[in-house]
Amino acid sequence: MQKSQRLIQMMMRINASKSFTVRELADEFGLSSRTITRDLQELSELGVPIYSVQGRGGGYRLLQERILPPISFSEGEAIAMFFACQSMDYFSSLPFGEGADSALRKFHHYLPADVKEKIDRLKNRIMFWSPYRWMSPEILQTLLQAIMIRSVVTIEYKSSSGVSERNIQPIGLYASSGFWYCPAFCFLRGEIRQFRADRILSASINESIPCREDITQKTLMDKPRKDQQEQTVLRLELTKKGVWLLESNSRIAPYIVRNEDGSGYADIRIAAEDLRFYVDFIWQFGTDVKITGPNEAMTCMKQKIESMRLLYC
């Protein structure tokens, strides 16, 4: 076996066991203790975080932040991985700390020159755009850590009724329209609620409250469904341009009915609590999209129009 192959196999063995002795490795690989000691020294110089434990029962162990063994990628896989990572560039905050940027730099650095050149040609020519929304990276990291270690988090949460302290058990994290959302079991309300990360003012791991085992089994597939909440129907009239503006919107496009002249209308079943969100969204389209129901939405739009009129009086 070539030395390079032996080092890769040894790295995989070390990652799997976390703690080991020179004699164990020597017996497993059929080598002398001196050769194994030299190999371990070389792995350490390559960045594998090995440290020795002195005394009875000693040996070697890995630091918590382990180095993963090399993985081979085809050219197509390398390009796909690079742009999968780059797709996160347009999020203002990510729950990975500097890990994503660091991984992308390492990945790009070790690519063959010709593959690097192909990727560089595609830079700024393929983008995964997401609206810029600022959120605290530290809070996102705390939520992600809680999911991984199955822990409760104490948060300060800002809602329409003010700021309150909550103990939550996060189920997952997902992003939509630039916002990060965290479905979690709320110990205050006794049910699963959805929390918007930008409204969380602080977050800290709380080990004094035990996790509920039934909640640890849930995934994002179990997050609260909008169709299980109180519903209302948002009715819209669209000009020809309005149809064109909204036909690419995944929330509204499936409901658009076109008239012969190119204009159209849409009746959209939504959660009642999201009504103001939709009114604010429709506002940007001006006279090309008109709300015709329900009355609460029309009243809300009229209030926005009056507030704007008074602003420019």
Side-chain angles (χ1 to χ4, degrees):
M1 180 188 299
Q2 294 182 357
K3 183 179 180 181
S4 59
Q5 293 175 318
R6 185 174 77 241
L7 290 177
I8 290 174
Q9 286 193 13
M10 192 175 296
M11 188 185 301
M12 296 173 69
R13 163 68 168 78
I14 290 170
N15 270 282
S17 60
K18 299 185 183 179
S19 64
F20 53 92
T21 65
V22 170
R23 173 49 52 194
E24 288 172 349
L25 292 183
D27 291 343
E28 184 172 334
F29 286 91
L31 299 169
S32 68
S33 296
R34 180 178 296 181
T35 300
I36 292 295
T37 301
R38 285 200 302 265
D39 285 351
L40 291 174
Q41 179 63 33
E42 190 165 340
L43 286 176
S44 179
E45 292 172 355
L46 290 171
V48 179
I50 306 170
Y51 69 98
S52 61
V53 180
Q54 304 299 322
R56 185 182 179 90
Y60 287 85
R61 292 183 181 177
L62 282 178
L63 295 174
Q64 185 174 7
E65 189 72 13
R66 291 176 286 165
I67 300 296
L68 298 178
I71 301 173
S72 298
F73 291 98
S74 69
E75 180 177 317
E77 290 170 338
I79 293 174
M81 288 289 291
F82 186 85
F83 283 100
C85 291
Q86 195 182 57
S87 68
M88 297 183 290
D89 283 353
Y90 290 89
F91 281 93
S92 59
S93 301
L94 294 169
F96 315 115
E98 297 180 356
D101 287 339
S102 175
L104 194 59
R105 286 194 298 269
K106 289 180 182 179
F107 192 74
H108 186 265
H109 177 75
Y110 288 104
L111 288 174
D114 60 323
V115 178
K116 278 186 187 179
E117 185 177 351
K118 291 178 181 178
I119 288 177
D120 289 340
R121 288 176 190 158
L122 293 174
K123 284 182 179 178
N124 297 322
R125 292 180 171 87
I126 295 179
M127 294 183 179
F128 300 84
W129 185 82
S130 179
Y132 184 90
R133 321 279 195 188
W134 189 88
M135 279 155 281
S136 166
E138 292 77 16
I139 287 175
L140 290 174
Q141 289 169 39
T142 299
L143 296 174
L144 183 66
Q145 181 187 9
I147 295 166
M148 290 190 293
I149 66 175
R150 294 183 172 181
S151 177
V152 171
V153 180
T154 298
I155 64 171
E156 282 187 306
Y157 193 70
K158 184 178 182 180
S159 64
S160 57
S161 57
V163 178
S164 61
E165 183 176 281
R166 310 278 189 95
N167 291 308
I168 64 171
Q169 184 177 334
I171 293 172
L173 280 174
Y174 72 95
S176 177
S177 299
F179 289 110
W180 283 94
Y181 295 87
C182 179
F185 178 80
C186 177
F187 285 84
L188 178 65
R189 305 301 183 196
E191 62 183 7
I192 295 175
R193 293 287 184 94
Q194 185 151 275
F195 298 90
R196 222 172 76 181
D198 60 307
R199 293 176 178 168
I200 299 177
L201 305 181
S202 66
S204 59
I205 300 293
N206 187 339
E207 296 180 348
S208 66
I209 301 177
C211 280
R212 285 183 42 160
E213 184 60 31
D214 59 325
I215 301 299
T216 64
Q217 304 303 316
K218 294 186 179 296
T219 69
L220 288 177
M221 298 299 101
D222 302 303
K223 71 182 181 69
R225 290 172 50 185
K226 293 292 186 180
D227 59 4
Q228 294 176 340
Q229 301 174 9
E230 182 183 352
Q231 301 285 298
T232 188
V233 177
L234 178 68
R235 293 185 170 85
L236 306 175
E237 285 185 0
L238 315 173
T239 65
K240 185 176 181 179
K241 183 179 179 181
V243 171
W244 178 76
L245 289 169
L246 290 176
E247 63 186 358
S248 61
N249 184 280
S250 59
R251 285 191 179 100
I252 296 177
Y255 302 96
I256 295 177
V257 177
R258 291 170 175 78
N259 300 319
E260 290 185 3
D261 62 357
S263 63
Y265 64 92
D267 292 346
I268 311 158
R269 194 168 183 80
I270 64 172
E273 66 174 25
D274 291 339
L275 194 60
R276 181 170 290 274
F277 167 85
Y278 279 93
V279 171
D280 291 340
F281 173 73
I282 296 301
W283 169 266
Q284 66 184 296
F285 300 109
T287 58
D288 290 303
V289 181
K290 178 184 176 182
I291 296 176
T292 59
N295 288 331
E296 298 93 324
M298 296 170 65
T299 299
C300 184
M301 182 62 80
K302 290 174 182 177
Q303 290 171 347
K304 288 174 67 69
I305 293 171
E306 179 63 13
S307 296
M308 186 64 73
R309 187 189 68 80
L310 293 174
L311 182 64
Y312 288 95
C313 283

